[in-house]
Amino acid sequence: MNRQRNRGRVTLAMIAAVCAVAAMPGQGHAADGPTAYTFDPAAVAVQGAETNADAVELEAGSVYRSSIGQGQKLYYRLELDDTTDAYVSAVAVPKAGGKVAYGDGITISVRDLDDTRCSSEDAAFESAEFPRPIAAYAHRTVEKDSTTCAASGTYNVLIERQSKATSSPEPWELELRHEREPGLEDGGSLPTEAPEGWPSASPVPPVGRQERTGGSGYYDATSLESGEWADSVAPGQTRFYRVPVDWGQQIFATAALSNSGKSTEYLGNALALALDNPAHGHVDDATLSYSGAPNSVALDPLPPVAYENRYDAGADVSAMRFAGWYYLSVTLSPKVAEHYGNDPIGLTLRVKVVNDRKPSPYRGGAGIFGVSEDDRDMAKSGLSAPEAGESGTMKLVAAAGIGAGSVLVLGLGAWTLLARRRAAPVLAPPGAGDRPPLGGPPQAR
């Protein structure tokens, strides 16, 4: 009975490991087709409130999925202490095939209960007037010698949507995140003024072109390191990538479209390139025109990652305030299909991260606001976050399988040996003669 129990436990362990792989979360898409956006499958569905009294709380470290209609103003709620800096981001995802106009977008702000605005940021469609995911963040930061937004308690997150009357009226889906920044090292003194200058010459990326297929959301963004990366992008499609940028490091990025022999029609703002920081705050963007010939566009030179960048008045410099994964997204206008067809066009990303890494200013673990050795390994291998998680689970399953197999082999060996010993004949001791085996019935004489 004990042997059966042990074999059952081993078998159950193997089944549980296999089931863990089968039960891994899948990808949540907004819609089918080239413009589908992959939402984080762990996102909790919530509904924004039109009054702050009815707002649902967004907990730190969590992801949420919501939506916002044309012209709506929706509230969510935060519960904050009086020492921690908090960030809330919103990714707005318009419906595939819809229409947006210049100036359409969202505004996100964090406010105290007196409606004092702690911070706000806009995410808008500008000259590239086609639907695509756009992101913005707002924060409550506790500043020295300031009482504004410094108290502990309830804060409001307000998300407002602006859309022209000519734009599609359908609701936009939202992906919301609430993150808290780690505290600084005790006794550490950091500059309170942003740097005034930094190297702006774009360095040459490493030689050697490699293929990497981009993801379709922040959740499954493909990891990149410095290099030249080949992909393709279809009209209306957005590709997502992520690059680990540590403290003191500087990122440069260029996107290029290959030529097409199908037309020479000129299209302004045919491709949109954007960069967002680890908290999904917008950093910089650029657009590229296309007329069937090769063309490229680069992001503006950005400062090295530094804590003190937050004190700069420029949103692009201020957003380079912490280390972690920086997200690149590339969207090809759906209008390209009208003249160049629906087939994907060759896309090349040139990424370069320069400078030596500097120590983290935080006390304890940095969470998403840091770069680990695992992150650098993912960038080298090209794994997305879910792929890295699946790879780790498969290693666990393999280890469990090897361990379970070893236990089974040992168990079967012991069982076989015991069975053989029980099946062996009982030999009579010397001089026993015709006496019956010990314990046997008496023999007739």
Side-chain angles (χ1 to χ4, degrees):
M1 180 63 73
N2 288 336
R3 290 194 303 274
Q4 290 176 345
R5 287 199 187 102
N6 290 335
R7 289 200 299 273
R9 286 170 185 157
V10 172
T11 304
L12 287 173
M14 295 182 68
I15 293 173
V18 174
C19 288
V21 177
M24 289 188 67
Q27 298 177 349
H29 293 279
D32 294 331
T35 55
Y37 175 83
T38 299
F39 287 87
D40 189 326
V44 178
V46 295
Q47 187 171 352
E50 294 186 355
T51 62
N52 68 314
D54 299 324
V56 65
E57 180 183 354
L58 305 180
E59 297 183 357
S62 299
V63 186
Y64 299 88
R65 188 167 174 176
S66 190
S67 64
I68 187 168
Q70 190 174 34
Q72 271 195 310
K73 298 180 179 182
L74 298 178
Y75 283 94
Y76 306 85
R77 180 169 56 88
L78 305 177
E79 294 294 337
L80 305 179
D81 59 27
D82 58 359
T83 60
T84 307
D85 294 345
Y87 296 82
V88 179
S89 65
V91 181
V93 185
K95 186 177 180 180
K99 183 179 180 182
V100 297
Y102 186 97
D104 287 1
I106 59 169
T107 299
I108 181 171
S109 60
V110 174
R111 302 163 180 262
D112 66 16
L113 291 184
D114 293 329
D115 208 33
T116 300
R117 187 177 61 183
C118 306
S119 78
S120 67
E121 186 176 70
D122 300 329
F125 300 100
E126 297 178 343
S127 54
E129 300 178 30
F130 47 84
R132 61 189 183 278
I134 54 175
Y137 76 163
H139 49 83
R140 190 294 301 262
T141 53
V142 181
E143 298 181 7
K144 186 178 179 180
D145 301 326
S146 175
T147 58
T148 303
C149 297
S152 62
T154 302
Y155 286 78
N156 295 320
V157 176
L158 177 61
I159 301 179
E160 307 169 75
R161 173 181 164 183
Q162 302 84 31
S163 293
K164 299 289 192 301
T166 55
S167 301
S168 300
E170 294 88 359
W172 294 352
E173 294 198 71
L174 297 174
E175 189 172 54
L176 309 174
R177 283 175 173 81
H178 174 197
E179 299 289 350
R180 293 185 181 177
E181 191 174 9
L184 296 175
E185 284 280 4
D186 291 335
S189 58
L190 294 174
T192 56
E193 294 184 3
E196 295 183 357
W198 53 85
S200 59
S202 180
V204 178
V207 178
R209 194 164 177 261
Q210 303 179 59
E211 292 187 359
R212 290 272 171 92
T213 301
S216 51
Y218 293 89
Y219 167 73
D220 66 348
T222 298
S223 304
L224 302 178
E225 59 179 356
S226 293
E228 184 173 307
W229 307 104
D231 198 355
S232 62
V233 59
Q237 185 177 40
T238 301
R239 295 289 204 187
F240 283 85
Y241 313 86
R242 61 179 192 164
V243 183
V245 186
D246 216 333
W247 297 100
Q249 293 188 322
Q250 196 173 3
I251 181 173
F252 297 85
T254 300
L257 284 178
S258 67
N259 64 296
S260 171
K262 296 182 179 180
S263 175
T264 57
E265 182 73 19
Y266 175 83
L267 295 173
N269 307 304
L271 181 137
L273 170 66
L275 177 70
D276 299 317
N277 69 19
H280 296 182
H282 185 63
V283 180
D284 192 25
D285 56 61
T287 60
L288 172 152
S289 60
Y290 191 64
S291 57
N295 200 10
S296 66
V297 65
L299 296 174
D300 290 336
L302 297 163
V305 171
Y307 186 88
E308 58 269 25
N309 286 338
R310 67 191 60 209
Y311 302 113
D312 195 276
D316 55 344
V317 176
S318 176
M320 301 295 296
R321 62 176 60 195
F322 25 55
W325 289 105
Y326 278 75
Y327 295 85
L328 287 165
S329 61
V330 179
T331 308
L332 187 63
S333 170
K335 292 182 180 179
V336 171
E338 298 175 9
H339 305 282
Y340 294 90
N342 291 308
D343 292 338
I345 296 177
L347 170 70
T348 300
L349 280 177
R350 296 180 179 90
V351 177
K352 182 68 174 179
V353 177
V354 300
N355 302 339
D356 294 334
R357 304 190 300 270
K358 293 184 177 181
S360 169
Y362 299 134
R363 177 179 63 253
I368 68 166
F369 301 117
V371 176
S372 67
E373 287 301 324
D374 286 343
D375 294 336
R376 283 184 275 272
D377 288 343
M378 280 191 280
K380 186 179 295 292
S381 64
L383 293 178
S384 65
E387 287 172 338
E390 182 176 355
S391 175
T393 302
M394 290 306 297
K395 289 178 181 178
L396 178 63
V397 170
I402 293 171
S406 301
V407 172
L408 281 172
V409 169
L410 291 173
L412 287 171
W415 180 84
T416 302
L417 178 60
L418 184 60
R420 286 175 177 174
R421 291 180 62 183
R422 287 186 170 181
V426 179
L427 299 177
D434 295 331
R435 285 181 297 173
L438 188 63
Q443 300 295 313
R445 289 189 181 272

